[in-house]
């Protein structure tokens, strides 16, 4: 089974990219599978893993609350081990940072020139989100 940190990275990537996220039956509960005939078990209604469930719930809420995640333009950037996904419109933006390493990475968002355009807009509702793994 994929570990919670890596699962959070994968879920944040899936929900941040353009298109409709596809959640395979039981992923949100931490359901595992194997080769046929064990490729997918019965849904564990009495044993839902709260870590996995909360990850999917968090990102589902982000997409519901942020139109820019559903219909904004898309760009990426990277720096070392850090992958950044920017969803943006003329008046809004949402940034997802994915850190697959075990190292804590600090970011100075004031130093990123891309955000200057949004900070100068009176209507900006921009939110910066990142996985805190």
């Amino acid at each position: 089974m994929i570990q919670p940190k890596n699962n959070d990275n994968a879920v944040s990537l899936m929900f941040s990219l353009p298109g409709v996220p596809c959640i395979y039956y039981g992923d949100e509960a931490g359901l595992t599978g194997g080769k046929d005939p064990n490729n997918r078990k019965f849904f564990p209604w009495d044993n839902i893993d709260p870590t996995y469930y909360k990850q999917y719930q968090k990102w589902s809420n982000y997409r519901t609350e942020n139109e820019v995640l559903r219909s904004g333009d898309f760009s990426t950037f990277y720096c070392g081990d850090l992958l950044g996904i920017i969803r943006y419109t003329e008046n809004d933006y949402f940034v997802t940072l994915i850190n697959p390493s075990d190292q804590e990475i600090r970011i100075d968002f004031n130093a990123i020139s891309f955000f200057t355009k949004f900070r100068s807009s009176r209507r900006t509702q921009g939110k910066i989100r990142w996985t805190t793994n």
Side-chain angles (χ1 to χ4, degrees):
M1 175 188 267
I2 190 170
Q3 297 302 310
K5 175 193 173 195
N6 291 328
N7 190 68
D8 199 30
N9 283 336
V11 171
S12 65
L13 181 66
M14 177 174 63
F15 277 82
S16 296
L17 292 172
V20 177
C22 181
I23 303 170
Y24 193 70
Y25 169 87
D27 284 349
E28 74 281 18
L31 192 61
T32 60
K35 293 186 178 188
D36 194 26
N38 296 318
N39 52 349
R40 205 37 76 145
K41 303 169 188 168
F42 291 109
F43 195 89
W45 291 107
D46 296 329
N47 193 24
I48 294 174
D49 186 316
T51 302
Y52 292 93
Y53 185 77
K54 287 177 185 175
Q55 289 170 348
Y56 281 90
Q57 189 175 44
K58 172 181 72 175
W59 280 98
S60 293
N61 288 336
Y62 285 163
R63 276 188 71 97
T64 299
E65 296 165 1
N66 296 279
E67 174 71 25
V68 71
L69 278 174
R70 298 187 306 275
S71 61
D73 289 327
F74 162 78
S75 187
T76 60
F77 66 91
Y78 68 93
C79 179
D81 288 335
L82 189 67
L83 170 66
I85 298 170
I86 304 169
R87 297 298 303 270
Y88 62 95
T89 63
E90 185 175 316
N91 298 312
D92 197 7
Y93 64 93
F94 192 105
V95 177
T96 303
L97 299 177
I98 299 172
N99 177 10
S101 76
D102 292 331
Q103 304 297 316
E104 180 178 310
I105 299 173
R106 296 185 182 267
I107 304 284
D108 179 4
F109 286 98
N110 293 318
I112 300 174
S113 62
F114 177 83
F115 299 120
T116 305
K117 150 182 159 176
F118 295 104
R119 283 193 291 268
S120 64
S121 170
R122 289 179 292 165
R123 297 178 56 204
T124 296
Q125 300 285 324
K127 296 165 183 67
I128 298 173
R129 304 278 193 228
W130 59 90
T131 59
T132 55
N133 302 328

